[in-house]
Amino acid sequence: MSEQDERRATGSLSIPSRAVGEISGETVRDARMERPDGAVLGGIETVDVDEPDRIGPEPTGRNDQGGTTFPRGGPSKPPPLLLKAGTSAAVVLCLATALAHVLLVFLHVAPPNPLSRQYSRQVNAWVFPLFEQNWRLFAPDPESVNRQISARTMHTSPDGRVRVSGWFDLSGIDDSAVKHNAFPSHTAQNMLRRAWSSYLETHGGDDQPRSERALMMQRYLANIAADRITDRRGGTFESVQLRVITVPIAAPAEGPGPGSSAAGPRPVETRYLPWWKVNSHGN
């Protein structure tokens, strides 16, 4: 047996140096796969190790058949630049608004200081009437009187005749919304009541506004009356007037004894506010 036949029998073949040099510069990958019908695909896939990275997703592993798997959908694309810029601007705007709100509320509740006095106009414009702060949750001040707030309207016709309507009970609307309601709204409980208490704090007995906040509370109270009358009674009018009847709440009766003294009932007070011009309604 010749030497070549002997090498073939033993399974060892010599590869020429030229062929070795050609294969040494490449990576040989077996791409043999078995089909379900039993057919076998064979071949050798050569990949040049010196070529730059291929464009495409990175492989994530190998499958059961020995092949390479890639992520679905290809490489993820970055979000558009405009969307990222808009999101960043919205976040910055929200943070700036939150910081400004906290600072203005802090100046409102803090003891008087040069900074709060210098920017009192800006602080009051931001806080009132939506973000007003008080300590009544910790030191409640129960109501000692009942107030009935009513309003009437005035309309001047083109021929010069003046027509004044009857009184409309504004407090009755809130009372009916709160009575027998397990979860009454904040508006029904506090809007009209807080508007009137703020009016008393900013106005004297002559009903003359002496500050911008006093003028704002006057317009706020007039707008509440005008809106409620328009929604429930309608009509055409240009001016409104408010009447406030204050009824003191009687103190509990004391038991008989030498030290007891019966306090006399306090009188009922009725206060008429001036006529206020409002935006024309009903035209």
Side-chain angles (χ1 to χ4, degrees):
M1 180 181 296
S2 64
E3 183 179 355
Q4 186 176 3
D5 295 337
E6 183 178 356
R7 289 179 179 178
R8 290 178 179 178
T10 58
S12 59
L13 293 175
S14 61
I15 302 175
S17 59
R18 179 181 177 183
V20 172
E22 292 176 355
I23 297 176
S24 63
E26 298 176 345
T27 300
V28 180
R29 183 173 63 188
D30 188 2
R32 182 175 301 171
M33 298 180 63
E34 185 172 340
R35 289 184 176 179
D37 56 0
V40 177
L41 296 177
I44 297 178
E45 180 184 0
T46 61
V47 180
D48 190 358
V49 296
D50 294 333
E51 72 176 339
D53 295 340
R54 294 185 177 182
I55 301 175
E58 293 292 334
T60 59
R62 304 188 71 84
N63 55 21
D64 297 339
Q65 290 78 19
T68 304
T69 60
F70 292 88
R72 295 182 178 179
S76 59
K77 296 182 179 180
L81 183 60
L82 184 60
L83 179 61
K84 294 177 64 177
T87 304
S88 301
V91 171
V92 172
L93 180 60
C94 292
L95 291 176
T97 303
L99 291 176
H101 173 74
V102 172
L103 177 62
L104 292 172
V105 172
F106 173 77
L107 293 177
H108 174 68
V109 301
N113 55 80
L115 190 61
S116 63
R117 294 191 187 96
Q118 181 179 359
Y119 296 100
S120 60
R121 179 178 178 182
Q122 291 82 355
V123 171
N124 292 335
W126 178 265
V127 171
F128 294 106
L130 298 179
F131 306 113
E132 183 179 2
Q133 306 292 317
N134 58 62
W135 297 100
R136 293 185 180 181
L137 175 63
F138 306 100
D141 185 14
E143 294 286 348
S144 58
V145 296
N146 289 326
R147 291 189 176 92
Q148 180 189 10
I149 304 178
S150 305
R152 61 179 179 178
T153 62
M154 180 173 62
H155 170 64
T156 304
S157 58
D159 56 2
R161 291 185 299 177
V162 177
R163 184 180 62 188
V164 178
S165 68
W167 291 103
F168 180 75
D169 189 2
L170 302 177
S171 301
I173 299 174
D174 293 341
D175 295 340
S176 61
V178 172
K179 190 175 182 180
H180 305 303
N181 189 348
F183 303 100
S185 68
H186 179 79
T187 301
Q189 296 180 84
N190 297 319
M191 175 183 282
L192 184 61
R193 182 180 63 86
R194 292 293 296 136
W196 173 248
S197 61
S198 299
Y199 179 86
L200 290 178
E201 294 172 359
T202 55
H203 290 73
D206 55 357
D207 297 313
Q208 294 297 325
R210 294 180 174 82
S211 64
E212 291 187 3
R213 181 168 182 259
L215 184 60
M216 179 188 68
M217 296 311 304
Q218 174 181 311
R219 293 174 180 171
Y220 182 52
L221 192 58
N223 290 336
I224 293 176
D227 291 341
R228 293 192 178 187
I229 292 175
T230 302
D231 293 340
R232 289 168 175 82
R233 194 168 66 178
T236 303
F237 58 92
E238 299 85 24
S239 302
V240 296
Q241 183 185 29
L242 272 67
R243 179 188 65 185
V244 182
I245 301 176
T246 303
V247 181
I249 298 176
E254 298 182 1
S260 62
S261 59
R266 290 180 293 175
V268 176
E269 298 180 0
T270 303
R271 181 172 178 176
Y272 293 90
L273 275 63
W275 285 98
W276 293 331
K277 290 286 186 179
V278 295
N279 293 332
S280 182
H281 290 73
N283 293 335

